[in-house]
Amino acid sequence: MRTQVCIIGGGPSGLLLSQLLHNKGIDTIILERKTRDYVLSRIRAGVLEKGFVELMREAGVGKRMDAKSYIHDGTVIAYGNEEFRIDFTAHTGTPVVIYGQTELTRDLYDAREADGAKLIFNTEDVAIHDADTDTPYVTYTVGGQSQRIDCDYVAGCDGFHGVSRQTIPSSVRRDYEKLYPFGWLGVLSETPPVHEELVYSNSDRGFALCSMRNANLSRYYIQCPLSDSPDDWSDGKFWDELRRRLPDRHAESLITGPSIEKSIAPLRSFVTEPMRWGRLFLCGDAAHIVPPTGAKGLNTAASDIYYLYHAMVAFYHDKESEGLDRYSEKALARIWKAERFSWWMTNLLHRFPQQIEFDLKMQRADLEFLRENEAAQKVLAENYVGLPF
Ligand code: RFL
Ligand code: PHB
């Protein structure tokens, strides 16, 4: 088989790139290790930046998102029993959009399938060959049969555990990583959200986040030890712990119900450089991970896709290769700023095992400064709604 761009990974990054390129007459094949249902069962992001929303619209897949999403003009930050609000729209003119990654991925699959896209599921042993030459190709196995795809370019959109990043020789690649000494236990429940906006809470017992997908679907998270498993947390134990980590007024109005999903995610900051090796381009989680505290993961994937899509269109339509040559540099410049913001939000809001009294005083001073200082709130708002592409 032959295609112009072989895309490894059928998550949001791979699907969005494929859809955008297809609209510009550029042919792609997507190889996905799992099934569509499996990809759609992963509950992940919920907050979209304007840039992501605009890219979905540009891809022609914004209709359901525009009808079903919620606009949030601000967020609540709590510490102990105190709370304050940061008004994104007042500070930046831009709100954020609440629309689940599951829904967005479903929209992209529906659009790709309606266009007859070449989407190959259950692929095994995917390997990228000769990416540093002009004739790269990808091999894989499906249903016991070995296959080969020749292509102009490979887009590595296969997430943190994929093969694309590993294809870049260690003599070329440099990884930067920070692991945090806790995870997030997430619960999805068919209950009305405790508040109309997200609540990020720093409590003595650890971090908690109240988020949502719609008027009757709530998403809650609490910081937990990495050694915990979801089985250690009955629904009752989770709700009790969440209540204890929220200001009284939210704890009292929290409506609980059975969980419909419960999982633990470790927290990590990670960046690999460069994001391009020859004809291989890394996008999204394949190249970088942020701790979810700033809601940046999926949104950083969107800026990668934006740069790569425009670079590929310039190359195929106008024989202009500068965008491809500068892809890694441009993508990384934005990524590092999102890394900084996510790291800062994580430090501001979590309890760390090694924290001494002094560190706690610093955290509290940081929160009080943010509460009182308009300029500090503006900085948070600008980062939260997304820096320009
Ligand atoms: P994905 O979604 O991991 O998709 C990669 C796909 O590649 C496939 N794959 C392979 N396919 C073929 N061959 C191989 N060898 C392969 N290896 C892997 C996988 O099966 C998968 O389908 O990466 P992508 O597309 O780059 O998307 C990234 C986002 O999923 C991720 O950044 C966000 O979910 C992060 N994130 C959040 N981001 C936000 O912007 N806002 C949020 O509010 C937000 N909340 C979150 C989050 C992530 C979380 N977890 C669980 C890590 C909340 C949580 C709890
Ligand atoms: C979510 O709704 O899943 C969510 C929202 C905000 C975050 C992280 C996750 O910072």
Side-chain angles (χ1 to χ4, degrees):
M1 273 188 287
R2 189 179 160 85
T3 188
Q4 287 171 301
V5 184
C6 182
I7 299 177
I8 323 276
S13 300
L15 292 164
L16 183 56
L17 180 65
S18 174
Q19 183 67 24
L20 287 160
L21 292 178
H22 166 79
N23 293 344
K24 296 286 181 184
I26 299 166
D27 187 58
T28 65
I29 297 178
I30 301 179
L31 303 179
E32 168 54 50
R33 186 170 55 177
K34 304 283 189 183
T35 61
R36 174 186 157 129
D37 286 347
Y38 180 91
V39 175
L40 290 177
S41 70
R42 291 187 297 223
I43 310 294
R44 288 178 160 192
V47 179
L48 304 183
E49 295 174 1
K50 183 175 156 201
F52 198 114
V53 168
E54 284 174 355
L55 210 50
M56 287 287 285
R57 291 186 190 133
E58 183 170 347
V61 285
K63 207 168 157 197
R64 209 166 67 95
M65 175 186 74
D66 283 332
K68 300 223 176 243
S69 62
Y70 295 77
I71 305 287
H72 280 201
D73 290 307
T75 193
V76 172
I77 304 226
Y79 53 106
N81 213 17
E82 308 279 320
E83 61 182 286
F84 59 96
R85 178 170 184 268
I86 298 197
D87 192 323
F88 304 142
T89 310
H91 284 296
T92 68
T94 310
V96 292
V97 168
I98 305 297
Y99 192 59
Q101 180 168 333
T102 314
E103 299 307 314
L104 172 156
T105 309
R106 188 189 308 282
D107 296 343
L108 285 163
Y109 269 126
D110 287 351
R112 290 288 43 227
E113 282 168 358
D115 288 333
K118 288 169 229 146
L119 270 159
I120 304 168
F121 292 101
N122 297 313
T123 56
E124 292 174 57
D125 306 323
V126 169
I128 302 165
H129 308 268
D130 295 352
D132 58 338
T133 72
D134 288 343
T135 50
Y137 64 98
V138 175
T139 56
Y140 61 99
T141 312
V142 69
Q145 300 273 317
S146 300
Q147 306 283 349
R148 169 177 170 142
I149 298 173
D150 291 280
C151 52
D152 300 335
Y153 293 105
V154 181
C157 302
D158 48 353
F160 185 66
H161 300 287
V163 295
S164 300
R165 185 176 69 253
Q166 312 297 341
T167 305
I168 304 182
S170 51
S171 58
V172 175
R173 199 178 93 214
R174 178 130 189 228
D175 294 345
Y176 301 83
E177 184 170 47
K178 181 178 175 66
L179 298 171
Y180 299 84
F182 40 73
W184 275 20
L185 168 65
V187 158
L188 191 68
S189 76
E190 283 169 332
T191 50
V194 70
H195 186 61
E196 63 204 25
E197 292 180 336
L198 271 61
V199 180
Y200 287 88
S201 180
N202 173 328
S203 94
D204 288 348
R205 301 180 66 90
F207 172 77
L209 169 61
C210 308
S211 183
M212 65 195 72
R213 293 293 176 271
N214 61 45
N216 198 41
L217 192 57
S218 297
R219 181 68 166 159
Y220 295 107
Y221 297 96
I222 56 173
Q223 169 185 354
C224 70
L226 277 170
S227 51
D228 280 11
S229 116
D231 297 336
D232 300 330
W233 289 88
S234 65
D235 287 356
K237 185 174 166 190
F238 176 82
W239 294 121
D240 283 346
E241 187 58 36
L242 177 63
R243 258 191 224 100
R244 289 181 170 146
R245 296 187 188 192
L246 298 177
D248 294 343
R249 78 165 178 124
H250 296 303
E252 282 155 17
S253 63
L254 180 71
I255 298 176
T256 63
S259 65
I260 54 173
E261 195 263 0
K262 200 184 277 157
S263 53
I264 294 184
L267 267 68
R268 178 196 309 272
S269 296
F270 176 88
V271 181
T272 200
E273 291 188 348
M275 285 171 59
R276 175 202 184 170
W277 184 57
R279 288 175 173 259
L280 167 65
F281 294 85
L282 301 181
C283 303
D285 279 15
H288 41 76
I289 298 288
V290 287
T293 326
K296 287 281 155 263
L298 183 58
N299 291 304
T300 48
S303 56
D304 295 349
I305 299 304
Y306 176 90
Y307 296 130
L308 188 55
Y309 156 60
H310 284 283
M312 285 189 164
V313 171
F315 174 78
Y316 282 108
H317 290 190
D318 306 319
K319 297 198 169 34
E320 178 55 71
S321 62
E322 199 210 336
L324 291 175
D325 293 340
R326 293 196 54 213
Y327 167 74
S328 179
E329 178 198 331
K330 280 172 84 172
L332 284 166
R334 190 171 187 277
I335 294 310
W336 277 114
K337 293 182 192 106
E339 290 283 344
R340 185 208 68 81
F341 176 66
S342 307
W343 162 86
W344 176 79
M345 283 279 280
T346 304
N347 283 309
L348 181 73
L349 295 168
H350 290 76
R351 289 297 151 119
F352 288 72
Q354 313 300 341
Q355 258 167 339
I356 57 173
E357 287 296 314
F358 180 84
D359 299 327
L360 292 172
K361 286 282 188 194
M362 288 299 97
Q363 217 181 38
R364 175 126 191 152
D366 228 347
L367 283 159
E368 283 177 358
F369 182 69
L370 186 60
R371 177 182 199 150
E372 291 152 13
N373 190 283
E374 289 282 320
Q377 291 189 10
K378 185 169 159 63
V379 169
L380 190 150
E382 279 181 4
N383 281 279
Y384 199 93
V385 305
L387 298 174
F389 285 176

